[in-house]
Amino acid sequence: MKLLVRNLARTTTEQELKAIFADFGRVQSCNLVLDKATGKSKGFAFVEMPKVGEAKVAIQKLNNKDIAGNKIRVKKAEDKVATPPRVSKDVEK
């Protein structure tokens, strides 16, 4: 299950985040989202845990928990839906 973790302290690292979630089960991946221009954290991340039960426990235990001075928010990540390409209304005849 892919989880969205928001309101992270800008100083939190991927390694720290992975360790926090590893207390609740196996972490398949952990991706801290970085600003392309500065290379600094944007304050949110995606954590993937292969076992749904472990991910649900992590959500319950970590949502609203104080980590590095911030109350983080943890929830199931929404599946990104691809939007169809726009069709121009000015079609040549």
Side-chain angles (χ1 to χ4, degrees), residues 1-89:
M1 176 184 283
K2 192 171 190 176
L3 306 175
L4 171 62
V5 185
R6 297 176 60 193
N7 202 38
L8 290 167
R10 304 286 191 223
T11 56
T12 302
T13 66
E14 272 187 14
Q15 292 78 17
E16 291 169 330
L17 195 57
K18 188 173 184 175
I20 291 165
F21 279 83
D23 286 343
F24 302 98
R26 189 167 84 78
V27 176
Q28 187 173 337
S29 66
C30 179
N31 297 308
L32 186 64
V33 179
L34 304 176
D35 183 282
K36 289 180 182 176
T38 65
K40 294 183 180 180
S41 170
K42 284 190 166 188
F44 70 98
F46 293 97
V47 174
E48 198 157 351
M49 300 179 78
K51 294 188 178 178
V52 173
E54 293 174 351
K56 286 183 177 181
V57 171
I59 291 170
Q60 290 173 344
K61 299 289 184 180
L62 294 174
N63 191 43
N64 289 318
K65 184 173 174 77
D66 189 292
I67 305 287
N70 286 21
K71 273 192 176 182
I72 66 169
R73 290 176 296 189
V74 183
K75 69 176 192 171
K76 182 179 186 276
E78 301 294 324
D79 291 328
K80 188 174 181 180
V81 179
T83 53
R86 293 181 121 179
V87 177
S88 176
K89 293 182 180 183

